[in-house]
Amino acid sequence: MRSVYLDYNATTPLDPKIQEAMSSTTAASFGNPSSVHHIGRAARALLDDCRYRVASLWQCKPSEVIFTSGGTESNNLAVFGAARSLASKGRHLITSNIEHHAVLNAFKHLASTEGFELSLVPVDSAGFVHPEDLISLIRSDTVLVSVMAANNETGAIQPYTDLSHICRKRGITFHCDAVQAVGKLEFHSIQQFGADLVSVCSHKLHGPKGAGALFCRSPLRLSPLLRGGAHENENRAGTENLAAILGFTLALEHFVRPSVFDASLLCPLSRRLIESLADIPGVDFQGPPNNRLANTVVFTVSGWDSISLLAALDLEGICASSGSACSVGSLEPSHVLLAMGLPRNVAASLVRFSLGRDTSEADILQTIDVFQSIVSSSRLPE
Ligand SMILES: Cc1ncc(COP(=O)(O)O)c(C=O)c1O
């Protein structure tokens, strides 16, 4: 059976050249960057070099780059770290109800256990946050706002420039989860998000898993999640995973400018997919028609549930998703589609195809064929 991988928003394969560079680093630079001897100093030199290279690509100071274990940790460090360090100034926090759980659950935890108040900014039926809705929630004690750059489930690109501007004007710290945006949207510098804190993750752009970074604009200081040594400018204790950091650095250098998710190649493929799926009775596209990631095609199928559809696709070799990879195996409908106002039974029939670097026309044709036969062969009772 021929495999077709259409789940690039969940993760991407590690680029072979990056893998090679990582293996030789693991062997050659095994030292602890905190050791004072020459083997430790060689590891420290490589770590410093990676930080400088990321900073030069991002156009920020090296001290503003905090290496982490990936998107979840970057988001947790941003939300917990900023809220706790700003708590003396105010305890009101705002996020949107379509954030990845790595943001949403961090905020909910702060509200339920640490005395913060949380407001959730709604989205419209296409999945967009509106700047005026954010403005209406801001209070004199609001200290932190977090809205993602691009949604992992619908691909909706949020108006982060307007949102960050609103926050900056009012002296409110703004965090942007750019995990799905970096490598997919045109990138000039990390400053384009206008945010004080920006989360980035390596395995969404052909880098290794377990690596990522948080941009933290100086002079903002975070309360660290991991306490111990003074690593990462006292933001994250623990001996650095040098090979993963190098892999992440290389992924940023090779796959961000220009974006590895090349819209000029992906748009015709996703258009082809959309046009053919649109002919299938019961298929309804979700998310916005415009201002969305070029690689993401998302829809619901009346009379079906996601788990049955994903299982049937998988039996035919096609890897798709029902949204966030973290929700796989759960029958809970997508919180993103619920936030967009869809009824639970409709939200529970979500299928997401996310295309990437190696997606071919043959993959798309096979997917259309398989999907048509699944949906026409048996329809679950409504
Ligand atoms: C928007 C967004 N934020 C955060 C994450 C979490 O990243 P990771 O699972 O690599 O920690 C993901 C992963 O799907 C994501 O799509």
Side-chain angles (χ1 to χ4, degrees), residues 86-232:
L86 296 167
S88 60
K89 294 193 182 137
R91 292 194 152 261
H92 182 235
L93 314 170
I94 303 176
T95 192
S96 87
N97 53 8
I98 54 149
E99 296 301 307
H100 190 276
H101 284 123
V103 167
L104 208 46
N105 288 344
F107 275 109
K108 286 183 178 169
H109 187 83
L110 285 168
S112 63
T113 64
E114 296 188 28
F116 287 90
E117 277 187 78
L118 176 63
S119 299
L120 292 177
V121 61
V123 292
D124 63 18
S125 59
F128 290 123
V129 170
H130 288 267
E132 57 276 17
D133 290 332
L134 173 62
I135 292 171
S136 72
L137 291 174
I138 289 175
R139 312 189 322 205
S140 58
D141 60 342
T142 306
V143 287
L144 176 65
V145 172
S146 175
V147 178
M148 68 203 320
N151 185 266
N152 44 304
E153 298 193 24
T154 63
I157 300 166
Q158 301 301 327
Y160 48 81
T161 315
D162 296 343
L163 302 175
S164 62
H165 188 67
I166 290 165
C167 293
R168 179 152 304 180
K169 250 174 57 185
R170 292 162 175 79
I172 299 167
T173 298
F174 181 69
H175 166 245
C176 188
D177 174 354
V179 163
Q180 292 291 345
V182 174
K184 296 195 178 84
L185 297 183
E186 210 173 303
F187 185 90
H188 309 289
S189 88
I190 206 77
Q191 317 293 346
Q192 77 194 50
F193 298 103
D196 305 289
L197 295 155
V198 182
S199 301
V200 182
C201 168
S202 148
H203 71 92
K204 307 286 186 188
L205 54 146
H206 301 280
K209 286 156 184 73
L214 178 67
F215 163 73
C216 178
R217 187 186 300 283
S218 62
L220 178 63
R221 292 298 305 176
L222 301 174
S223 169
L225 295 177
L226 301 179
R227 291 174 188 275
H231 310 81
E232 293 303 305

